[in-house]
Amino acid sequence: MLQVMRSNNWFPSLFDEFYNTAFGTSNRVATPAVNVIEDAKAYTMEFAVPGVTKEFCRVSINADGNLEVAIESKLEHKGEDKHEHYLRREFSYTNFQQTYTVPDDVIKENIAAAVNDGVLTITLPKMSKEHVEKLQRHIEIK
C-alpha cells in the first residue's frame, strides 16, 4: 500500500538523501566532462559545456607555458511566476578553472579553440618530426 504524504516536506528530504553525505551537505563542484583524443597530427580536448557560449569560455597559455581553461556558467531566472515557490533551487552560477600541462611536442602558437553544440573543443597541434629534429642540437662542453 502506497502511503500518501500530507506535507510539502517530502521533496527537500527526498533530495537531501541523495545529495547529503554523512558529513553534512556535499560540496558539488561543477566540473565538465572532458575527452582527450590523440592522433598523428594533434591532441584534442573536448569539454561538455551545454548551454554555454564562447563568451563564457577562456583558453590561454600562462607564463609557465601551461594551458588554462576557464568556463563560466550563469543561469538567470527571468520572469519567475510570483504564485509559485521553489522547494529546492540549485540552478545557479558555476565557475570552472583548470590548468593543464602542455605536452612538449605541441606547437603552442597554433593552439585553437571553438564552442559548437555545447562542446568546447581545444586543438593542440603536434610538431612534425622535422620540426622536433630542428629543435634538437648538440651542446658543446667547454
Side-chain angles (χ1 to χ4, degrees), residues 128-142:
S128 64
K129 288 183 180 182
E130 296 81 27
H131 193 197
V132 172
E133 289 172 2
K134 285 180 186 178
L135 294 176
Q136 296 175 353
R137 63 185 181 99
H138 179 72
I139 299 173
E140 182 182 338
I141 301 173
K142 297 183 182 183

mmCIF file with all atom_site columns, all heavy atoms in Angstrom, residues 128-142:
data_model
loop_
_atom_site.group_PDB
_atom_site.id
_atom_site.type_symbol
_atom_site.label_atom_id
_atom_site.label_alt_id
_atom_site.label_comp_id
_atom_site.label_asym_id
_atom_site.label_entity_id
_atom_site.label_seq_id
_atom_site.pdbx_PDB_ins_code
_atom_site.Cartn_x
_atom_site.Cartn_y
_atom_site.Cartn_z
_atom_site.occupancy
_atom_site.B_iso_or_equiv
_atom_site.pdbx_formal_charge
_atom_site.auth_seq_id
_atom_site.auth_comp_id
_atom_site.auth_asym_id
_atom_site.auth_atom_id
_atom_site.pdbx_PDB_model_num
ATOM 1   N N   . SER A 1 128 ? 55.875 18.433 -36.288 1.00 0.00 ? 128 SER A N   1
ATOM 2   C CA  . SER A 1 128 ? 56.285 17.360 -37.190 1.00 0.00 ? 128 SER A CA  1
ATOM 3   C C   . SER A 1 128 ? 57.636 16.828 -36.711 1.00 0.00 ? 128 SER A C   1
ATOM 4   O O   . SER A 1 128 ? 58.346 17.467 -35.933 1.00 0.00 ? 128 SER A O   1
ATOM 5   C CB  . SER A 1 128 ? 56.409 17.888 -38.622 1.00 0.00 ? 128 SER A CB  1
ATOM 6   O OG  . SER A 1 128 ? 57.449 18.852 -38.680 1.00 0.00 ? 128 SER A OG  1
ATOM 7   N N   . LYS A 1 129 ? 58.016 15.641 -37.185 1.00 0.00 ? 129 LYS A N   1
ATOM 8   C CA  . LYS A 1 129 ? 59.314 15.070 -36.808 1.00 0.00 ? 129 LYS A CA  1
ATOM 9   C C   . LYS A 1 129 ? 60.453 15.990 -37.225 1.00 0.00 ? 129 LYS A C   1
ATOM 10  O O   . LYS A 1 129 ? 61.436 16.136 -36.508 1.00 0.00 ? 129 LYS A O   1
ATOM 11  C CB  . LYS A 1 129 ? 59.484 13.686 -37.426 1.00 0.00 ? 129 LYS A CB  1
ATOM 12  C CG  . LYS A 1 129 ? 58.621 12.639 -36.787 1.00 0.00 ? 129 LYS A CG  1
ATOM 13  C CD  . LYS A 1 129 ? 58.876 11.270 -37.373 1.00 0.00 ? 129 LYS A CD  1
ATOM 14  C CE  . LYS A 1 129 ? 57.991 10.237 -36.694 1.00 0.00 ? 129 LYS A CE  1
ATOM 15  N NZ  . LYS A 1 129 ? 58.241 8.885  -37.194 1.00 0.00 ? 129 LYS A NZ  1
ATOM 16  N N   . GLU A 1 130 ? 60.301 16.639 -38.370 1.00 0.00 ? 130 GLU A N   1
ATOM 17  C CA  . GLU A 1 130 ? 61.338 17.561 -38.857 1.00 0.00 ? 130 GLU A CA  1
ATOM 18  C C   . GLU A 1 130 ? 61.489 18.758 -37.915 1.00 0.00 ? 130 GLU A C   1
ATOM 19  O O   . GLU A 1 130 ? 62.592 19.208 -37.632 1.00 0.00 ? 130 GLU A O   1
ATOM 20  C CB  . GLU A 1 130 ? 61.019 18.052 -40.268 1.00 0.00 ? 130 GLU A CB  1
ATOM 21  C CG  . GLU A 1 130 ? 61.013 16.977 -41.334 1.00 0.00 ? 130 GLU A CG  1
ATOM 22  C CD  . GLU A 1 130 ? 59.712 16.172 -41.368 1.00 0.00 ? 130 GLU A CD  1
ATOM 23  O OE1 . GLU A 1 130 ? 58.648 16.696 -40.980 1.00 0.00 ? 130 GLU A OE1 1
ATOM 24  O OE2 . GLU A 1 130 ? 59.783 14.995 -41.758 1.00 0.00 ? 130 GLU A OE2 1
ATOM 25  N N   . HIS A 1 131 ? 60.380 19.270 -37.427 1.00 0.00 ? 131 HIS A N   1
ATOM 26  C CA  . HIS A 1 131 ? 60.408 20.401 -36.509 1.00 0.00 ? 131 HIS A CA  1
ATOM 27  C C   . HIS A 1 131 ? 61.078 20.006 -35.195 1.00 0.00 ? 131 HIS A C   1
ATOM 28  O O   . HIS A 1 131 ? 61.872 20.774 -34.633 1.00 0.00 ? 131 HIS A O   1
ATOM 29  C CB  . HIS A 1 131 ? 58.988 20.900 -36.264 1.00 0.00 ? 131 HIS A CB  1
ATOM 30  C CG  . HIS A 1 131 ? 58.928 22.238 -35.582 1.00 0.00 ? 131 HIS A CG  1
ATOM 31  N ND1 . HIS A 1 131 ? 57.802 22.701 -34.988 1.00 0.00 ? 131 HIS A ND1 1
ATOM 32  C CD2 . HIS A 1 131 ? 59.860 23.200 -35.371 1.00 0.00 ? 131 HIS A CD2 1
ATOM 33  C CE1 . HIS A 1 131 ? 58.036 23.886 -34.453 1.00 0.00 ? 131 HIS A CE1 1
ATOM 34  N NE2 . HIS A 1 131 ? 59.279 24.207 -34.679 1.00 0.00 ? 131 HIS A NE2 1
ATOM 35  N N   . VAL A 1 132 ? 60.781 18.818 -34.686 1.00 0.00 ? 132 VAL A N   1
ATOM 36  C CA  . VAL A 1 132 ? 61.396 18.332 -33.448 1.00 0.00 ? 132 VAL A CA  1
ATOM 37  C C   . VAL A 1 132 ? 62.906 18.184 -33.642 1.00 0.00 ? 132 VAL A C   1
ATOM 38  O O   . VAL A 1 132 ? 63.693 18.573 -32.773 1.00 0.00 ? 132 VAL A O   1
ATOM 39  C CB  . VAL A 1 132 ? 60.764 16.992 -33.010 1.00 0.00 ? 132 VAL A CB  1
ATOM 40  C CG1 . VAL A 1 132 ? 61.526 16.387 -31.842 1.00 0.00 ? 132 VAL A CG1 1
ATOM 41  C CG2 . VAL A 1 132 ? 59.299 17.198 -32.637 1.00 0.00 ? 132 VAL A CG2 1
ATOM 42  N N   . GLU A 1 133 ? 63.304 17.669 -34.784 1.00 0.00 ? 133 GLU A N   1
ATOM 43  C CA  . GLU A 1 133 ? 64.734 17.491 -35.061 1.00 0.00 ? 133 GLU A CA  1
ATOM 44  C C   . GLU A 1 133 ? 65.455 18.827 -35.135 1.00 0.00 ? 133 GLU A C   1
ATOM 45  O O   . GLU A 1 133 ? 66.605 18.941 -34.706 1.00 0.00 ? 133 GLU A O   1
ATOM 46  C CB  . GLU A 1 133 ? 64.929 16.700 -36.356 1.00 0.00 ? 133 GLU A CB  1
ATOM 47  C CG  . GLU A 1 133 ? 64.542 15.234 -36.200 1.00 0.00 ? 133 GLU A CG  1
ATOM 48  C CD  . GLU A 1 133 ? 64.546 14.466 -37.515 1.00 0.00 ? 133 GLU A CD  1
ATOM 49  O OE1 . GLU A 1 133 ? 64.885 15.047 -38.563 1.00 0.00 ? 133 GLU A OE1 1
ATOM 50  O OE2 . GLU A 1 133 ? 64.199 13.272 -37.471 1.00 0.00 ? 133 GLU A OE2 1
ATOM 51  N N   . LYS A 1 134 ? 64.802 19.869 -35.646 1.00 0.00 ? 134 LYS A N   1
ATOM 52  C CA  . LYS A 1 134 ? 65.413 21.199 -35.717 1.00 0.00 ? 134 LYS A CA  1
ATOM 53  C C   . LYS A 1 134 ? 65.628 21.773 -34.321 1.00 0.00 ? 134 LYS A C   1
ATOM 54  O O   . LYS A 1 134 ? 66.566 22.535 -34.095 1.00 0.00 ? 134 LYS A O   1
ATOM 55  C CB  . LYS A 1 134 ? 64.524 22.156 -36.521 1.00 0.00 ? 134 LYS A CB  1
ATOM 56  C CG  . LYS A 1 134 ? 64.561 21.919 -38.001 1.00 0.00 ? 134 LYS A CG  1
ATOM 57  C CD  . LYS A 1 134 ? 63.662 22.917 -38.714 1.00 0.00 ? 134 LYS A CD  1
ATOM 58  C CE  . LYS A 1 134 ? 63.568 22.599 -40.192 1.00 0.00 ? 134 LYS A CE  1
ATOM 59  N NZ  . LYS A 1 134 ? 62.660 23.518 -40.895 1.00 0.00 ? 134 LYS A NZ  1
ATOM 60  N N   . LEU A 1 135 ? 64.747 21.435 -33.383 1.00 0.00 ? 135 LEU A N   1
ATOM 61  C CA  . LEU A 1 135 ? 64.885 21.930 -32.021 1.00 0.00 ? 135 LEU A CA  1
ATOM 62  C C   . LEU A 1 135 ? 65.993 21.231 -31.251 1.00 0.00 ? 135 LEU A C   1
ATOM 63  O O   . LEU A 1 135 ? 66.538 21.771 -30.289 1.00 0.00 ? 135 LEU A O   1
ATOM 64  C CB  . LEU A 1 135 ? 63.564 21.767 -31.263 1.00 0.00 ? 135 LEU A CB  1
ATOM 65  C CG  . LEU A 1 135 ? 62.393 22.602 -31.758 1.00 0.00 ? 135 LEU A CG  1
ATOM 66  C CD1 . LEU A 1 135 ? 61.138 22.257 -30.964 1.00 0.00 ? 135 LEU A CD1 1
ATOM 67  C CD2 . LEU A 1 135 ? 62.694 24.091 -31.643 1.00 0.00 ? 135 LEU A CD2 1
ATOM 68  N N   . GLN A 1 136 ? 66.332 20.031 -31.694 1.00 0.00 ? 136 GLN A N   1
ATOM 69  C CA  . GLN A 1 136 ? 67.378 19.273 -31.021 1.00 0.00 ? 136 GLN A CA  1
ATOM 70  C C   . GLN A 1 136 ? 68.737 19.745 -31.529 1.00 0.00 ? 136 GLN A C   1
ATOM 71  O O   . GLN A 1 136 ? 68.910 20.006 -32.718 1.00 0.00 ? 136 GLN A O   1
ATOM 72  C CB  . GLN A 1 136 ? 67.221 17.781 -31.313 1.00 0.00 ? 136 GLN A CB  1
ATOM 73  C CG  . GLN A 1 136 ? 65.940 17.209 -30.768 1.00 0.00 ? 136 GLN A CG  1
ATOM 74  C CD  . GLN A 1 136 ? 65.732 15.758 -31.176 1.00 0.00 ? 136 GLN A CD  1
ATOM 75  O OE1 . GLN A 1 136 ? 66.480 15.204 -31.969 1.00 0.00 ? 136 GLN A OE1 1
ATOM 76  N NE2 . GLN A 1 136 ? 64.696 15.153 -30.640 1.00 0.00 ? 136 GLN A NE2 1
ATOM 77  N N   . ARG A 1 137 ? 69.664 19.866 -30.614 1.00 0.00 ? 137 ARG A N   1
ATOM 78  C CA  . ARG A 1 137 ? 71.016 20.265 -31.019 1.00 0.00 ? 137 ARG A CA  1
ATOM 79  C C   . ARG A 1 137 ? 72.015 19.749 -29.999 1.00 0.00 ? 137 ARG A C   1
ATOM 80  O O   . ARG A 1 137 ? 71.671 19.520 -28.839 1.00 0.00 ? 137 ARG A O   1
ATOM 81  C CB  . ARG A 1 137 ? 71.145 21.773 -31.187 1.00 0.00 ? 137 ARG A CB  1
ATOM 82  C CG  . ARG A 1 137 ? 70.925 22.567 -29.915 1.00 0.00 ? 137 ARG A CG  1
ATOM 83  C CD  . ARG A 1 137 ? 70.938 24.078 -30.178 1.00 0.00 ? 137 ARG A CD  1
ATOM 84  N NE  . ARG A 1 137 ? 70.744 24.781 -28.938 1.00 0.00 ? 137 ARG A NE  1
ATOM 85  C CZ  . ARG A 1 137 ? 71.724 25.314 -28.209 1.00 0.00 ? 137 ARG A CZ  1
ATOM 86  N NH1 . ARG A 1 137 ? 72.976 25.209 -28.605 1.00 0.00 ? 137 ARG A NH1 1
ATOM 87  N NH2 . ARG A 1 137 ? 71.463 25.946 -27.080 1.00 0.00 ? 137 ARG A NH2 1
ATOM 88  N N   . HIS A 1 138 ? 73.203 19.591 -30.446 1.00 0.00 ? 138 HIS A N   1
ATOM 89  C CA  . HIS A 1 138 ? 74.282 19.151 -29.575 1.00 0.00 ? 138 HIS A CA  1
ATOM 90  C C   . HIS A 1 138 ? 74.893 20.386 -28.923 1.00 0.00 ? 138 HIS A C   1
ATOM 91  O O   . HIS A 1 138 ? 75.155 21.385 -29.583 1.00 0.00 ? 138 HIS A O   1
ATOM 92  C CB  . HIS A 1 138 ? 75.358 18.403 -30.383 1.00 0.00 ? 138 HIS A CB  1
ATOM 93  C CG  . HIS A 1 138 ? 76.500 17.948 -29.559 1.00 0.00 ? 138 HIS A CG  1
ATOM 94  N ND1 . HIS A 1 138 ? 76.408 16.906 -28.669 1.00 0.00 ? 138 HIS A ND1 1
ATOM 95  C CD2 . HIS A 1 138 ? 77.771 18.405 -29.460 1.00 0.00 ? 138 HIS A CD2 1
ATOM 96  C CE1 . HIS A 1 138 ? 77.569 16.750 -28.068 1.00 0.00 ? 138 HIS A CE1 1
ATOM 97  N NE2 . HIS A 1 138 ? 78.415 17.650 -28.536 1.00 0.00 ? 138 HIS A NE2 1
ATOM 98  N N   . ILE A 1 139 ? 75.143 20.300 -27.619 1.00 0.00 ? 139 ILE A N   1
ATOM 99  C CA  . ILE A 1 139 ? 75.736 21.431 -26.888 1.00 0.00 ? 139 ILE A CA  1
ATOM 100 C C   . ILE A 1 139 ? 77.160 21.032 -26.532 1.00 0.00 ? 139 ILE A C   1
ATOM 101 O O   . ILE A 1 139 ? 77.403 20.017 -25.878 1.00 0.00 ? 139 ILE A O   1
ATOM 102 C CB  . ILE A 1 139 ? 74.929 21.758 -25.624 1.00 0.00 ? 139 ILE A CB  1
ATOM 103 C CG1 . ILE A 1 139 ? 73.503 22.155 -26.022 1.00 0.00 ? 139 ILE A CG1 1
ATOM 104 C CG2 . ILE A 1 139 ? 75.619 22.844 -24.805 1.00 0.00 ? 139 ILE A CG2 1
ATOM 105 C CD1 . ILE A 1 139 ? 72.565 22.331 -24.860 1.00 0.00 ? 139 ILE A CD1 1
ATOM 106 N N   . GLU A 1 140 ? 78.078 21.848 -27.019 1.00 0.00 ? 140 GLU A N   1
ATOM 107 C CA  . GLU A 1 140 ? 79.488 21.581 -26.779 1.00 0.00 ? 140 GLU A CA  1
ATOM 108 C C   . GLU A 1 140 ? 79.828 21.869 -25.332 1.00 0.00 ? 140 GLU A C   1
ATOM 109 O O   . GLU A 1 140 ? 79.424 22.883 -24.760 1.00 0.00 ? 140 GLU A O   1
ATOM 110 C CB  . GLU A 1 140 ? 80.357 22.468 -27.696 1.00 0.00 ? 140 GLU A CB  1
ATOM 111 C CG  . GLU A 1 140 ? 81.824 22.220 -27.533 1.00 0.00 ? 140 GLU A CG  1
ATOM 112 C CD  . GLU A 1 140 ? 82.646 23.142 -28.430 1.00 0.00 ? 140 GLU A CD  1
ATOM 113 O OE1 . GLU A 1 140 ? 82.116 23.630 -29.414 1.00 0.00 ? 140 GLU A OE1 1
ATOM 114 O OE2 . GLU A 1 140 ? 83.827 23.334 -28.079 1.00 0.00 ? 140 GLU A OE2 1
ATOM 115 N N   . ILE A 1 141 ? 80.583 20.951 -24.712 1.00 0.00 ? 141 ILE A N   1
ATOM 116 C CA  . ILE A 1 141 ? 81.023 21.117 -23.335 1.00 0.00 ? 141 ILE A CA  1
ATOM 117 C C   . ILE A 1 141 ? 82.391 21.748 -23.354 1.00 0.00 ? 141 ILE A C   1
ATOM 118 O O   . ILE A 1 141 ? 83.313 21.255 -24.018 1.00 0.00 ? 141 ILE A O   1
ATOM 119 C CB  . ILE A 1 141 ? 81.054 19.751 -22.615 1.00 0.00 ? 141 ILE A CB  1
ATOM 120 C CG1 . ILE A 1 141 ? 79.654 19.121 -22.629 1.00 0.00 ? 141 ILE A CG1 1
ATOM 121 C CG2 . ILE A 1 141 ? 81.581 19.925 -21.192 1.00 0.00 ? 141 ILE A CG2 1
ATOM 122 C CD1 . ILE A 1 141 ? 79.611 17.732 -22.098 1.00 0.00 ? 141 ILE A CD1 1
ATOM 123 N N   . LYS A 1 142 ? 82.576 22.817 -22.621 1.00 0.00 ? 142 LYS A N   1
ATOM 124 C CA  . LYS A 1 142 ? 83.855 23.545 -22.591 1.00 0.00 ? 142 LYS A CA  1
ATOM 125 C C   . LYS A 1 142 ? 84.625 23.255 -21.338 1.00 0.00 ? 142 LYS A C   1
ATOM 126 O O   . LYS A 1 142 ? 84.160 22.927 -20.331 1.00 0.00 ? 142 LYS A O   1
ATOM 127 C CB  . LYS A 1 142 ? 83.610 25.039 -22.725 1.00 0.00 ? 142 LYS A CB  1
ATOM 128 C CG  . LYS A 1 142 ? 82.987 25.390 -24.051 1.00 0.00 ? 142 LYS A CG  1
ATOM 129 C CD  . LYS A 1 142 ? 82.831 26.871 -24.154 1.00 0.00 ? 142 LYS A CD  1
ATOM 130 C CE  . LYS A 1 142 ? 82.158 27.202 -25.489 1.00 0.00 ? 142 LYS A CE  1
ATOM 131 N NZ  . LYS A 1 142 ? 82.020 28.577 -25.730 1.00 0.00 ? 142 LYS A NZ  1
#
